[in-house]
Amino acid sequence: MEQTVEDPPTSAVLLDHCDFSQVIFTSVEKFYVPGGDVTCYYTFTQRFIPRRKDWIGIFRVGWKTTREYYTFMWVTLPADPNSKSTKQQEVQFKAYYLPKDDEYYQFCYVDQDGVVRGASIPFQFRPESEEDILVVTTQSEVEEIEQQNHELCKENQELRDSCVSLQKQNADMQAALQKKQEELETLKSINQKLEQEVKAQKDSWETELLQLKEQNHKLSSENEKLGVRVNQLQAQLSTQEKEMEKLVQGDQDKTEQLEHLKKENNQLFLSLTEQREQQNKLEQTVMELRLKEVAAAKEEQELMDQNLDLSKRLSENKITYNVLQREKERMERENDLLKRENSKLMSYMGLDFDSLTCQASTSDQGATGQNPRLVYGNPYAGIQESSSPSLPSIKKCPKSDFADDIVDHTTKEQPTQSLYLNCPICDKSFPAKGKQIFEDHVFCHSL
């Protein structure tokens, strides 16, 4: 099989999807004699345009896809591919790559998409037979021909074995090539990484080189100044011969000064290095200060949140205070109302409320344990002492029981109210012990 640098484009398209009428093969022989080159002639139809990757292959009759070619040759494009002329084209197959058996083969034109565009009539690779040429031979010549045929068959078998071996070597070489390509891709990736590292190193070196150039420029300027000074001294040396020794001594002094300047330059370079180190330390210190600033800002935010929380709690306490203040005012109003009602009842019963009050205050000291539930004392104690004759009439009055009930109810209601807290908005009662629940309830109304 033909060994090429690049394999032709093929596909797994079956014969049913091919068009064999776009390229026509002409002057195809019934058989070709082995050992000689074969020229394939063909023409393009007007509706077909050849492309650069088109090729012509030799296929064994019975092939199914374009991958089953035996050998192939690239198509030579015409000078004007878009021309409507049907000029005959040709390609030549070398004898070395042609089949050695007597099977039937045919030419097939395959485009760069791997689709067959034309096929020739079948042909064979065999020598001329007796049907084609009448040859008169003797028995010795027949035996010699048979011997040659036997040798040729043996050589053909060896060539086939060699071809199989070459195909196997080709497969091995392709596998090795694939492995080498993978190694090459790995090396390329490594090389790319190394190039990036080299580029980064080069950039750093360029930066250092620029710094050294600046330092060299400074030194050059100082050297130029010293050179001007030396030129002046040389001019004075040429004009003042008598003071040559002094000038030589001065030149030596200048040389020592130059050495001293070089030493100072080295010291400056060292001090510059120290300054860079100090700058790095200062940058680290600035970074630490920034971190502290962030921490301080965070702490400040927390304090602001706490302040906001305290403000909310203060506003809630203010609301609770206002609620309790209104509750206190309401209870004072109710207490005043109860006092007025009690006074009305006492006046209705013919009693003096002020005298009863005084008697209740004096009697409370001596008889507090008799009825501690009465806030204003027993209103009937004065009646029994002062007007005993009228006691039966008071007892007979049906309203007396009603008054006792009112006084007893008022005395019972005050400690009961002190044990409960009423919501000023919805009049819901809460136990006095659950003050926080009451405050939360009142605060919910303000939301």
Side-chain angles (χ1 to χ4, degrees), residues 43-101:
T43 57
F44 299 115
T45 59
Q46 293 183 355
R47 58 191 180 91
F48 181 76
I49 298 175
R51 290 180 288 181
R52 186 175 62 87
K53 289 290 185 177
D54 294 354
W55 54 283
I56 294 176
I58 296 177
F59 291 78
R60 181 177 293 177
V61 175
W63 59 274
K64 298 297 182 182
T65 63
T66 55
R67 297 176 180 176
E68 301 176 14
Y69 66 93
Y70 186 88
T71 184
F72 78 100
M73 290 294 294
W74 295 109
V75 173
T76 303
L77 295 177
D80 187 8
N82 297 322
S83 176
K84 301 297 182 180
S85 63
T86 57
K87 184 178 179 181
Q88 182 171 273
Q89 308 292 328
E90 66 180 43
V91 293
Q92 190 177 39
F93 292 89
K94 297 296 181 181
Y96 178 77
Y97 301 106
L98 296 176
K100 302 298 188 294
D101 56 6

Side-chain angles (χ1 to χ4, degrees), residues 273-285:
T273 305
E274 293 176 355
Q275 289 179 1
R276 287 180 181 173
E277 293 177 354
Q278 292 178 359
Q279 185 178 1
N280 293 329
K281 292 181 180 179
L282 288 174
E283 289 178 355
Q284 293 178 357
T285 306

Side-chain angles (χ1 to χ4, degrees), residues 210-225:
L210 290 174
Q211 294 177 356
L212 291 174
K213 283 183 178 180
E214 291 178 357
Q215 294 177 1
N216 190 13
H217 181 68
K218 292 179 180 178
L219 293 175
S220 299
S221 61
E222 292 178 359
N223 194 8
E224 289 178 358
K225 293 178 181 178

